[in-house]
């Protein structure tokens, strides 16, 4: 069975940092485009960042310059390093995996940025 398990979320103060992880199993990880989405209360789910199987990255304008997406194919794990966090970053963050044929979602990890 396919599993995407997020971790690393929590409560941080504005200006703080957090590193999210997504551990994948049941897929050929290196062949998948991976990404992070987030959903804030009362808002639609939005793309945060993606990383292709070849390592090409894309970021939402709201996080560009403050976030770094990466992957370790040997560990079947994707990461999102978030710095200079803002209250607007508060959301449930979801791991996403996509191949040409399939797409999967994790269950999410809560990130709360508050003083």
């Amino acid at each position: 069975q396919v599993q995407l398990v997020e971790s690393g979320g929590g409560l941080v103060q504005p200006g703080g940092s957090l590193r999210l992880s997504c551990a994948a199993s049941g897929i050929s990880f290196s062949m998948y485009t991976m990404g992070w989405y987030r959903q804030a209360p009362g808002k639609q789910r939005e793309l945060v960042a993606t990383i292709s199987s070849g390592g090409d990255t894309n970021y939402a304008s709201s996080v560009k310059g403050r976030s770094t997406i990466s992957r370790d194919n040997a560990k079947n794990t994707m990461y999102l390093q978030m710095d200079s966090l803002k209250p607007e970053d508060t959301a449930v963050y979801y791991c996403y995996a996509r191949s040409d044929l399939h797409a999967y979602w994790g269950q999410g990890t809560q990130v709360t940025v508050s003083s």
Side-chain angles (χ1 to χ4, degrees):
Q1 57 184 338
V2 176
Q3 281 194 301
L4 302 176
V5 181
E6 302 96 334
S7 62
L11 175 64
V12 296
Q13 294 186 339
S17 297
L18 218 52
R19 191 197 197 201
L20 307 183
S21 298
C22 173
S25 60
I27 63 171
S28 184
F29 181 82
S30 63
M31 302 300 295
Y32 276 70
T33 291
M34 304 294 297
W36 291 96
Y37 286 71
R38 68 186 182 187
Q39 188 166 25
K43 295 187 177 181
Q44 294 186 321
R45 189 172 298 186
E46 64 177 355
L47 185 145
V48 179
T50 62
I51 182 166
S52 73
S53 60
D56 296 326
T57 60
N58 290 100
Y59 299 90
S61 297
S62 57
V63 304
K64 196 169 188 177
R66 301 187 295 120
S67 300
T68 303
I69 188 171
S70 61
R71 65 192 296 161
D72 187 337
N73 288 342
K75 296 182 177 180
N76 288 171
T77 303
M78 174 188 60
Y79 307 94
L80 182 68
Q81 176 69 41
M82 299 187 293
D83 303 312
S84 302
L85 284 162
K86 306 174 181 179
E88 308 93 88
D89 295 317
T90 296
V92 177
Y93 284 70
Y94 296 91
C95 178
Y96 170 78
R98 177 181 60 80
S99 70
D100 289 345
L101 265 45
H102 307 288
Y104 304 98
W105 292 93
Q107 295 188 104
T109 185
Q110 177 71 50
V111 171
T112 302
V113 184
S114 177
S115 58

